[in-house]
Amino acid sequence: PQESLNPVKYTTMAGRTFAATLVVGIIATQKKSAAFSFSPSSKRTSSCLYSSGTVKENETHQDQQQQQHSHLLLWEKTLEDAPDSYVNPAIELAIRPPEEGGTGILAVDDVEKDTVVMCLPLKQVGMIDAASILESAPEGEDAVIDKLIEMWNKQLSSEKDGKKGEVRQEGNRLAVLVGIIAHLQLTRYKDKTAWTANEVKEVYALEQSRRLGLFLDAMPLLPQRPTPNNNNPMQHPFPTHFLYWDDEEIEQLLQGTMAQTKAREVRAGVGLVVREWSEAFLKEHSPGVKQAQILNAIFSAFTAVLSRSFGDEAGRDLNGAGRMLVPLVDMLNHDSEDPNVSWQWHVEGDEEKIVAGEGDIAVTTLKDVKKGEELYKCYGWRPAWDIASSYGFVPRLKKERWECSVIPLFPAVLDLAPDVIATPNQISKDETSLDLLLESNYGVLVKAVLAAVDAASEIEARRKIDSGSDNANENQTDRPALLDRLEVVSLFRPPPALTAKDFPFPRRQPSIVVGTKIGASDDIAAANQQYHREAIKKVLPAYRAAASAIAQLRLNHKNGDSSSSIQASQMAMAAASLDKGTDWDEAALELMRLGINDRIQTIKSDGKAASAWLTQSTTVNRLDEVSLKHRQFRADMSRDIREAELNVLRTLENELNTLAEI
């Protein structure tokens, strides 16, 4: 039988086993791995950093290069090899420890607004994208390349036919680019180590890995051993990315957050891809490269592409929806609150030049930048939990920013039969009957709520047409477009105490995503009142529909007819405020208030549990200094994720109280 990569058996470079259980998407982590070295700064007698695998005659020069930071070497060599590139002399690359911001670009002199600080010709600087790599690749020579071409062609044909959704398409495009990076890295590793027992036979991949060598080295993808002049323990460049948390950290530190859901999705998705690629990667890289090392490269390539790639807006890849990696530009750090630069792709000429990848990326200042300030670009708005899942960090709140939380649609504190009063002990144990009933009707109820909201939206649109009013251009704000759609997500909560013994599995809790502009002070939050009310207004129809569903459930229960179905028409009437017999706004606001309070208590409780686990785990477990440091990084990030969501919830809670007083 064909041997395959087994995520359960082989270990990742994070020092834990990575296993994607395909049924439920749970990652198993058990044992530590052997270190795998592929540091650009590691001294190798067979090759220098960017040679083709031969020994340089000038050994002193080679040693100097090996001691030079890979990012600085990439910066200097890329500009040297790209004669048409331009970097304003007022900016320089800054190499800093991760806790001080890591690599970034600083202004060494004052720079005025609308100044071009970088202009890089993509063809010369070594951009990496799937289209340009795969379109020139010969078929039948390399099993990995053939597999990626197959995935790419399926993607192209499916998008032409409109068979797949946007999220799936984005994931497939990203995965193909990940496969290219991992394959080129492994090929470069074999080339640089100059193995005689395992000659590099992937001719095309070898050519590409040498052409893009400096960029591949600068990511870097694999753990770094100490260099000859460095006695520090092995470091990992992505200690906070969810792919490198162990299972206990995911379950304990992220318990009850949307970040936990995102982490599970990312890790399970990677496991599926590994399963699909295993045969091809083993054929090309085994037995010369250990299977654990192959997995290391794949997992690391995912972190690199997730954290460093961006959209191909010129339209070469899948009508502008592809992904690409561009050196130097990706050294700009993120600031969603107050970015001071932006980039734009300039292409001169016809369609053929676009297809050929010709054109420049120009980075321009959005405001005056003072000497000593760092250049920041906004990577695009995303909530804290989503940024964490891709980039491995949570931006700190400086003044104000858009942020999201989730509010339970059916709070666990509700009781189906209000005439049968639950005891405080039952409520504390989450033994209320409504929550258990809703769990069994989760899918039906959520679909009914969404359908009711859609119906209400259509009714509102017809109202505007009939009245001749058009408010499309009124009250426009900088609200992110993603917050204009109604999104229902699942939170994972511990099993109710009533069923924990017989059914000890986490349950899903349907919740609504809601976002507003949070502030670092109460005054800033108060000044953004219009955004808070807009956020409440956006989700109010969903809570009207949910309140109608609850009222129907209670009535059926009171009449002894719990099997009766819920009338979707009544939910739609409530969502559109057409049912004048009941004040559904009041019911919806009360339901939202209960949901917010439920969510706040859950986050605070889970946060205390996470802190207790962190204290216990660092005391009981024998972790080395680096592992302790990484665990603390992850604990800090989980606290930042919780705090961002709590800020939204408390802000909206205050606004609901204000509305109640009015």
Side-chain angles (χ1 to χ4, degrees):
Q2 173 63 45
E3 185 180 18
S4 64
L5 288 172
N6 185 347
V8 177
K9 182 178 179 182
Y10 300 106
T11 53
T12 71
M13 62 179 151
R16 295 292 187 273
T17 312
F18 188 108
T21 303
L22 303 183
V23 178
V24 294
I26 297 176
I27 309 303
T29 56
Q30 296 176 354
K31 54 187 178 181
K32 295 185 178 180
S33 68
F36 177 38
S37 173
F38 185 27
S39 167
S41 57
S42 297
K43 185 174 182 179
R44 299 190 183 279
T45 58
S46 58
S47 66
C48 77
L49 185 59
Y50 56 90
S51 74
S52 60
T54 58
V55 179
K56 286 275 189 178
E57 292 183 1
N58 188 344
E59 294 292 339
T60 302
H61 178 59
Q62 177 185 345
D63 291 340
Q64 292 174 348
Q65 288 179 336
Q66 289 170 343
Q67 293 174 11
Q68 190 174 11
H69 195 283
S70 58
H71 290 177
L72 183 58
L73 184 58
L74 174 66
W75 178 278
E76 295 176 348
K77 186 62 177 171
T78 298
L79 296 178
E80 178 184 329
D81 293 343
D84 297 327
S85 61
Y86 167 76
V87 172
N88 193 301
I91 67 170
E92 284 185 359
L93 186 68
I95 308 295
R96 301 163 299 196
E99 58 271 19
E100 296 178 14
T103 299
I105 301 176
L106 300 182
V108 294
D109 203 348
D110 292 346
V111 184
E112 294 183 354
K113 179 182 177 182
D114 297 327
T115 299
V116 175
V117 291
M118 297 175 71
C119 190
L120 307 174
L122 296 177
K123 200 74 172 180
Q124 295 179 13
V125 298
M127 175 197 67
I128 303 178
D129 70 301
S132 60
I133 297 289
L134 297 181
E135 287 173 358
S136 304
E139 296 189 35
E141 175 188 286
D142 184 321
V144 175
I145 293 293
D146 289 346
K147 182 64 178 178
L148 296 175
I149 290 175
E150 176 188 341
M151 291 180 64
W152 189 253
N153 290 338
K154 283 183 179 179
Q155 183 66 28
L156 288 173
S157 61
S158 66
E159 294 193 2
K160 289 179 181 177
D161 297 337
K163 293 180 179 178
K164 295 182 180 179
E166 180 181 346
V167 175
R168 179 68 183 273
Q169 292 172 2
E170 175 71 8
N172 288 344
R173 290 189 293 263
L174 185 143
V176 172
L177 184 56
V178 167
I180 290 171
I181 298 297
H183 186 42
L184 295 184
Q185 272 285 24
L186 289 167
T187 302
R188 181 160 174 78
Y189 173 70
K190 292 187 292 186
D191 184 31
K192 289 182 69 175
T193 51
W195 291 347
T196 57
N198 184 47
E199 296 180 358
V200 180
K201 55 184 180 296
E202 304 86 8
V203 177
Y204 180 75
L206 178 61
E207 293 173 351
Q208 297 300 314
S209 69
R210 289 177 176 177
R211 179 177 69 86
L212 302 168
L214 279 179
F215 196 10
L216 297 172
D217 290 344
M219 293 190 184
L221 294 180
L222 303 173
Q224 303 177 46
R225 287 187 182 278
T227 60
N229 298 323
N230 180 10
N231 295 321
N232 291 331
M234 187 176 70
Q235 299 288 328
H236 190 274
F238 301 102
T240 55
H241 199 283
F242 289 155
L243 285 178
Y244 303 108
W245 295 36
D246 66 35
D247 253 10
E248 276 195 299
E249 290 170 337
I250 293 291
E251 297 306 313
Q252 299 294 333
L253 295 179
L254 297 177
Q255 175 62 46
T257 67
M258 266 303 294
Q260 186 182 62
T261 301
K262 293 293 295 185
R264 286 172 169 172
E265 290 175 356
V266 169
R267 290 155 69 97
V270 171
L272 288 169
V273 172
V274 169
R275 190 182 185 92
E276 183 175 358
W277 287 349
S278 61
E279 181 179 346
F281 269 87
L282 282 171
K283 181 177 180 180
E284 292 302 327
H285 298 294
S286 181
V289 180
K290 296 178 180 179
Q291 295 186 15
Q293 296 171 345
I294 297 174
L295 284 169
N296 285 339
I298 294 174
F299 297 152
S300 299
F302 265 102
T303 60
V305 173
L306 283 169
S307 63
R308 301 178 68 152
S309 68
F310 44 90
D312 185 343
E313 294 185 350
R316 295 180 310 107
D317 283 2
L318 310 174
N319 297 321
R323 308 297 299 174
M324 62 180 179
L325 290 160
V326 181
L328 309 194
V329 174
D330 67 352
M331 295 177 182
L332 289 166
N333 286 320
H334 168 74
D335 188 339
S336 60
E337 291 188 43
D338 192 25
N340 52 21
V341 298
S342 65
W343 70 267
Q344 185 176 3
W345 194 336
H346 295 280
V347 182
E348 296 181 1
D350 53 21
E351 183 69 20
E352 292 183 0
K353 288 190 174 183
I354 296 177
V355 174
E358 297 178 8
D360 305 319
I361 278 190
V363 179
T364 307
T365 53
L366 298 172
K367 57 198 296 188
D368 291 346
V369 181
K370 300 298 183 183
K371 179 180 179 179
E373 293 181 348
E374 183 167 356
L375 303 187
Y376 287 106
K377 177 190 178 299
C378 177
Y379 294 169
W381 179 83
R382 295 161 76 177
W385 68 69
D386 210 10
I387 289 180
S389 69
S390 289
Y391 303 112
F393 70 88
V394 177
R396 295 297 176 93
L397 178 62
K398 295 184 292 186
K399 182 180 178 183
E400 60 181 13
R401 74 163 187 259
W402 287 97
E403 191 51 77
C404 276
S405 179
V406 293
I407 305 175
L409 196 52
F410 303 102
V413 296
L414 295 174
D415 199 323
L416 180 59
D419 52 318
V420 180
I421 301 175
T423 66
N425 188 45
Q426 286 177 313
I427 295 175
S428 67
K429 292 182 178 180
D430 203 10
E431 294 180 355
T432 53
S433 53
L434 174 63
D435 202 45
L436 300 178
L437 180 60
L438 289 177
E439 176 70 10
S440 64
N441 290 304
Y442 170 80
V444 176
L445 282 170
V446 170
K447 288 180 181 178
V449 168
L450 293 175
V453 172
D454 288 341
S457 298
E458 292 179 7
I459 293 171
E460 182 63 23
R462 287 198 296 269
R463 280 177 177 170
K464 290 182 178 180
I465 293 174
D466 294 341
S467 63
S469 63
D470 183 8
N471 298 326
N473 296 320
E474 295 181 9
N475 301 323
Q476 287 190 343
T477 67
D478 59 344
R479 181 183 177 86
L482 288 175
L483 294 179
D484 287 333
R485 67 182 185 185
L486 182 66
E487 185 176 3
V488 180
V489 297
S490 293
L491 283 175
F492 290 95
R493 298 191 60 165
L498 195 63
T499 62
K501 183 177 179 180
D502 298 324
F503 196 74
F505 301 106
R507 77 193 151 152
R508 298 176 301 172
Q509 184 179 41
S511 302
I512 296 288
V513 177
V514 59
T516 188
K517 185 174 282 189
I518 61 175
S521 67
D522 292 340
D523 291 341
I524 296 176
N528 290 325
Q529 186 182 67
Q530 61 167 327
Y531 302 122
H532 314 328
R533 295 193 175 182
E534 184 180 10
I536 294 170
K537 182 180 178 180
K538 289 284 183 183
V539 299
L540 198 58
Y543 282 95
R544 292 192 198 113
S548 173
I550 291 170
Q552 293 182 59
L553 281 170
R554 283 177 169 163
L555 181 61
N556 292 341
H557 181 78
K558 185 176 182 179
N559 295 334
D561 189 15
S562 300
S563 61
S564 295
S565 60
I566 298 173
Q567 298 299 313
S569 59
Q570 293 185 31
M571 294 175 63
M573 292 281 285
S577 294
L578 295 179
D579 181 1
K580 303 303 181 182
T582 304
D583 188 348
W584 290 113
D585 274 355
E586 182 179 352
L589 291 173
E590 177 61 22
L591 187 59
M592 193 184 305
R593 189 177 294 107
L594 286 171
I596 289 175
N597 184 263
D598 180 19
R599 185 79 186 122
I600 289 175
Q601 297 306 315
T602 298
I603 292 176
K604 292 169 68 174
S605 175
D606 290 340
K608 290 179 180 178
S611 297
W613 176 84
L614 179 66
T615 301
Q616 182 182 14
S617 68
T618 54
T619 303
V620 176
N621 299 334
R622 295 182 178 180
L623 300 177
D624 58 50
E625 182 180 349
V626 172
S627 298
L628 283 171
K629 185 177 182 180
H630 287 179
R631 177 158 291 183
Q632 188 60 55
F633 281 164
R634 295 161 188 164
D636 291 343
M637 192 167 83
S638 67
R639 278 193 288 267
D640 290 342
I641 291 170
R642 283 193 173 87
E643 190 55 42
E645 191 171 350
L646 281 172
N647 197 323
V648 173
L649 293 168
R650 288 166 177 152
T651 298
L652 294 179
E653 184 180 43
N654 291 336
E655 191 58 37
L656 285 174
N657 292 335
T658 301
L659 289 173
E661 293 174 1
I662 295 175

